[in-house]
Amino acid sequence: MPATASSGVPPSEDTVPEDTDPGNTDTGNTGTGKTRAGGTDSVAAGPRRVGGPSFLARLLLVALALAGTVVLSLAVGSRTLPPAEVWEALVHGGDGTTAQVIREMRLPRTLVGLLAGAALGVAGAVLQGLTRNPIAEPGILGLAQGASAAVVIAISFFGVHTLLGWIWFAFAGAGVAAVLVYAIASRGRGGASPVKLALAGAAINALLASLIAGVLTTRSATLDQFRFWQIGSLTGRDAEVLGRLWPFLVIGLILALAGSRGLDALALGEDVARGLGRNVAAVRICGGLGAAVLTGTAVAAAGPIAFVGLAVPHLARALAGPSHRRLLPLAALLGPVVLLVADVVGRVVLPPSEVPAGVMTALIGVPFLIALVRRSGVGA
């Protein structure tokens, strides 16, 4: 039986599976015990280079782009500073106005952008792999909406009015939403299939949106506080937020990377993944838990920022190919690049006011993603 499956994620032009003949549909043994038609060797052996820059070279280029974006985030604002002054303030400190602006305002803001961008990029890549759906991202599966609902409840019924207080409610809300989605999708024959996960996510998303709307329409004071958080922004975050959230980022990244080989097998279809010895349920639980932790971390730090979790995996896949062992590290680097660039543009596009990063990610990113899809056929 041919072991082909539609994953919603096309293979990269730069990689081909090792020992696999695309035109060979013979599923018998070749004398070596390897299955050729299903891409079994591609999962076991990984992708093989056929030309162009190496993966390490591309990873280095993205890392350099991230470093440049960090410098840009520290230097650009209501007052643009030369890189030399930024370096001086970071390395040698000082009590001047410039040093205080960089260390107390721009540096925490940039670090939160790094944390939230990496979390959203990796979470989106994991969710697209789990559901084999190229448009899957934390928002579409209800995780971000779960965090938003928890913040609304915290403001309305528990009297929590600080960002640090909202963090834990947002984290818990994303986790509860993830459990509900998986529990609903797991019922019935076939378990938590990609279609059932998407439908369960849409249902939970709609339910939580109705809950939020119901609370906000009856409590105007809650609306005044919640609307600033709901947009998604890096403004006003400090080092204490980072200190509380970075361990969860590490845990989420470990869970996501631990399931990378399982996601590669799952991309070939559930039957093929089982034939390769993968526990499909364990892969989904590990990946889903990692995505939930990462989404909760990002939403708790910066609010529900759209588009990053959708677009970054496609950008990373265009550079790294379909292998999640390469895709996830690149997504962790590209996510902060996208988010910080959006934040910097939001600072200067309408001076002296600022446009929140959550608004700019859509305004900048959607046309770029459309151009990428038209050029390379992503998600075909």
Side-chain angles (χ1 to χ4, degrees), residues 42 108 193 207 228 260 296 342 374:
S42 68
S193 66
L207 174 64
F228 294 106
S260 59
R374 288 173 60 88

Side-chain angles (χ1 to χ4, degrees), residues 71-72 74-76 79-93 98-99 102 106:
V71 174
L72 194 67
L74 293 172
V76 175
R79 178 191 169 195
T80 301
L81 304 171
E85 289 190 28
V86 174
W87 177 259
E88 183 72 19
L90 291 176
V91 175
H92 302 291
T98 299
I102 292 175
R106 294 186 185 178

Side-chain angles (χ1 to χ4, degrees), residues 209-230:
S210 299
L211 173 64
I212 293 172
V215 174
L216 294 180
T217 53
T218 58
R219 295 173 179 264
S220 58
T222 301
L223 175 61
D224 292 337
Q225 296 183 59
F226 176 71
R227 63 191 179 94
F228 294 106
W229 181 85
Q230 186 184 31

Side-chain angles (χ1 to χ4, degrees), residues 358-380:
V359 175
M360 293 307 303
T361 51
L363 292 177
I364 295 175
V366 169
F368 183 75
L369 181 60
I370 292 174
L372 178 68
V373 171
R374 288 173 60 88
R375 180 177 180 180
S376 61
V378 172

